[in-house]
Amino acid sequence: MSTLRDLAEEHTALRPADIDHLHRIAGDWQLLSDLSFADLLLWVPVDGDGTFLCVAQVRPTTAPTAYLDDQVGRIVGGAEVAHLEVAYRQGRIWREGDPVWYGDVPARHEAIPVRLRTGDGEAGEVIAVVGRDTNLSTARTPSQLELNYLTTADDLAQMIADGTFPPPRHPGETTSAPRVGDGLVRLDANGKVTYASPNAQSAYRRLGYASHLVGEDLAKLHRRLAGDPLEGTDAGNAVLAALRGEAPPRREIDARGATMLTRALPLMPAGVPIGALVLVRDITEVRRRDRALITKDATIREIHHRVKNNLQTVAALLRLQARRVSMPEARVALEESVRRVASIALVHETLSMSSDEAVEFDGIVDRVASAATEVAATEVSVGMRRRGTFGVLPAEIATSLVMVLNELLLNAVEHGFPPADEEAAVPPPVDAARPEVVVSAHRARKQLHVTVTDNGRGLPEQFDAERGGNLGLQIVRALVTGELRGTIELRNGADGGTEAAIVVPLARGTTDRLTGRAGPL
């Protein structure tokens, strides 16, 4: 299914600003559809010959739809769109005409011209038409709620025709809440409540207001109800701003252990401020779950912090033990264990400062690489470099991968570049001027590809990549094939040196933040 923008760009001569305005309408018109108890179809003219294309459609949640089939992408002309032509050419809302039938469903047609206001605030030309089609098969005597819904819908329809609806969206806001069914309050020009839906009345009752809302000054009521004076002032000022014709951001009110989200919209048909529409939603349980998640996140971060501290304690004890051991082999083994424990502690240190179970892995690799050059038992000064970026990795991958890289980097530094007294017995390195180890990373097809390359002396002859190597390489193979469910290949580089290529599958949903820039380690 093509998008609104795709259809408009392919079939019309609408400007980018016009299409953006149509997007804003389609993002906020569920409100009008629910208040109208009607389907809304967004029609744009094609080639100026009386033909119209449907680029968007929304069905009401408060009434049955008039269309069982999707209308988006449909091009129609002739008598079927005569009402759209009138609204488009004359720039007025069309409400005349007899009901029409779609199969067994009778429907009432209306057409609302869509204008985009100019930069100086004047009403611009009509760029599209909103068709408002009501299913009449369940028509009945309207209740007070339905009458207020329809009256408010007519005001919003006129604002679409004037180019003043929808209002600008504030950063970070969505159109998902609150909705008409959550609770609706209508205000007159003085800010007094003229109607409150039953759900709205219930939401205010949870905040501690037991009386009926009709006749109340809503801005003052918000200030009285809010437990936080600043919060109450913000909520009250939002109502006053809507009465002045502005579109304030959503506000929350907390009182008596309950939380209510409010959205105030100005009502200005034909440019005349006649009041405001306030949508409310009881979000007490949502905020309670949010607070529980925040507490859980804080607990998890504290656990990672304590694990990091415990690992650092273990590393310190191993370091003390290494100093007391007289056997060189035992001392080396203990020092290697210290480095392995410390590399895992780095991951938990990063997780303790994060709000989720994922880490920015580049910084960890940089620190592990720096430590490898400092503690490696070699007389040769080896440079470290990183190409690409690992991005954000989940903790279960990061913990094992950091140990793998720690072992590979130490192995490259210690065994790829022999000390001075060994150089006579082996061929010189390909790039003798500057010994270097490069860590490369990129993602492709839901896999992380990592390569550790050095320009040293390469793998010894008769080296068995599957079984050979020291304890570090055995740990690497076990972690890659076991914990990471990946593959590893050790080989001589095309230009000399040694290359370790690792492929790790990434679970669906793993965050992928790649910049592709090389960075020093």
Side-chain angles (χ1 to χ4, degrees), residues 250-265:
R250 292 167 174 81
R251 299 294 185 188
E252 291 185 10
I253 302 176
D254 290 296
R256 298 169 65 92
T259 305
M260 184 175 71
L261 178 64
T262 68
R263 182 189 183 193
L265 295 169

Side-chain angles (χ1 to χ4, degrees), residues 263-520:
R263 182 189 183 193
L265 295 169
L267 293 177
M268 300 178 60
V272 179
I274 63 170
L277 175 67
V278 180
L279 301 174
V280 300
R281 181 184 179 187
D282 182 357
I283 57 170
T284 303
E285 293 306 311
V286 175
R287 288 295 172 261
R288 182 188 63 79
R289 289 194 294 269
D290 287 346
R291 288 190 289 270
L293 287 174
I294 291 173
T295 301
K296 180 181 178 181
D297 288 342
T299 302
I300 292 174
R301 288 198 298 272
E302 178 62 22
I303 290 173
H304 283 301
H305 180 71
R306 295 188 181 187
V307 170
K308 182 262 297 184
N309 288 344
N310 289 340
L311 288 172
Q312 289 179 337
T313 300
V314 171
L317 292 174
L318 290 172
R319 194 176 295 110
L320 287 173
Q321 187 65 39
R323 294 173 182 171
R324 295 174 177 269
V325 172
S326 57
M327 296 179 59
E329 295 84 356
R331 184 181 301 109
V332 170
L334 288 173
E335 289 174 348
E336 289 179 350
S337 298
V338 169
R339 291 193 291 269
R340 289 165 185 151
V341 172
S343 65
I344 300 175
L346 279 178
V347 176
H348 287 281
E349 180 181 7
T350 305
L351 288 170
S352 69
M353 297 181 288
S354 173
S355 59
D356 53 23
E357 288 293 289
V359 294
E360 287 278 3
F361 200 69
D362 290 343
I364 294 176
V365 175
D366 294 349
R367 294 172 66 181
V368 168
S370 177
T373 58
E374 292 175 0
V375 303
T378 179
E379 301 174 1
V380 181
S381 176
V382 180
M384 290 281 182
R385 188 158 54 91
R386 171 167 51 84
R387 288 201 190 107
T389 178
F390 290 81
V392 178
L393 295 178
E396 60 269 21
I397 292 179
T399 302
S400 298
L401 187 57
V402 71
M403 283 196 66
V404 169
L405 292 176
N406 180 63
E407 297 295 338
L408 291 176
L409 290 169
L410 282 171
N411 201 65
V413 173
E414 293 183 348
H415 301 286
F417 307 98
D421 57 352
E422 297 182 24
E423 289 188 356
V426 296
V430 174
D431 185 3
R434 187 175 187 273
E436 185 178 57
V437 178
V438 179
V439 182
S440 304
H442 72 276
R443 299 189 187 197
R445 298 180 181 179
K446 298 180 181 179
Q447 292 179 328
L448 176 64
H449 296 256
V450 182
T451 306
V452 179
T453 307
D454 66 63
N455 59 355
R457 62 182 176 180
L459 295 172
E461 296 184 5
Q462 310 301 325
F463 178 79
D464 187 343
E466 293 296 324
R467 296 181 177 84
N470 54 22
L471 175 62
L473 289 180
Q474 294 175 22
I475 292 174
V476 166
R477 279 192 289 268
L479 288 174
V480 171
T481 59
E483 296 295 324
L484 297 175
R485 302 184 301 281
T487 60
I488 180 171
E489 181 182 359
L490 293 173
R491 60 198 178 218
N492 283 314
D495 299 323
T498 306
E499 185 174 274
I502 302 170
V503 179
V504 178
L506 297 173
R508 176 174 293 183
T510 301
T511 306
D512 189 3
R513 302 177 190 168
L514 300 180
T515 63
R517 293 190 300 267

Side-chain angles (χ1 to χ4, degrees), residues 230-241:
L230 179 60
E231 185 180 87
T233 300
D234 289 342
N237 289 342
V239 173
L240 296 177

Side-chain angles (χ1 to χ4, degrees), residues 80-283:
E80 189 175 353
V81 295
H83 62 300
L84 302 179
E85 184 72 15
V86 171
Y88 182 73
R89 296 299 178 188
Q90 299 181 15
R92 66 177 180 87
I93 297 178
W94 185 93
R95 292 192 174 95
E96 305 88 35
D98 298 325
V100 295
W101 290 81
Y102 295 103
D104 297 331
V105 178
R108 181 177 64 245
H109 272 332
E110 296 177 78
I112 305 165
V114 176
R115 284 187 174 88
L116 173 62
R117 298 186 78 82
T118 61
D120 56 6
E122 297 296 326
E125 296 180 353
V126 177
I127 60 174
V129 179
V130 171
R132 182 164 59 168
D133 301 337
T134 306
N135 185 332
L136 299 177
S137 61
T138 58
R140 61 185 186 277
T141 303
S143 64
Q144 185 183 11
L145 179 145
E146 291 168 333
L147 288 173
N148 277 276
Y149 275 21
L150 292 171
T151 300
T152 304
D154 287 343
D155 293 334
L156 293 180
Q158 184 60 55
M159 292 173 66
I160 287 180
D162 298 336
T164 57
F165 184 88
R169 190 177 302 173
H170 296 274
E173 287 190 347
T174 65
T175 59
S176 60
R179 294 189 173 183
V180 169
D182 296 325
L184 178 145
V185 179
R186 178 161 178 141
L187 308 180
D188 63 17
N190 296 316
K192 298 293 182 65
V193 177
T194 59
Y195 175 76
S197 70
N199 283 347
Q201 190 71 53
S202 298
Y204 279 93
R205 193 177 301 276
R206 288 203 67 176
L207 293 179
Y209 185 75
S211 301
H212 203 278
L213 285 167
V214 173
E216 280 289 336
D217 186 317
L218 197 65
K220 294 181 179 179
L221 179 62
H222 283 179
R223 294 188 179 110
R224 294 202 308 268
L225 289 177
D228 185 342
L230 179 60
E231 185 180 87
T233 300
D234 289 342
N237 289 342
V239 173
L240 296 177
L243 293 172
R244 294 192 301 267
E246 303 171 13
R250 292 167 174 81
R251 299 294 185 188
E252 291 185 10
I253 302 176
D254 290 296
R256 298 169 65 92
T259 305
M260 184 175 71
L261 178 64
T262 68
R263 182 189 183 193
L265 295 169
L267 293 177
M268 300 178 60
V272 179
I274 63 170
L277 175 67
V278 180
L279 301 174
V280 300
R281 181 184 179 187
D282 182 357
I283 57 170

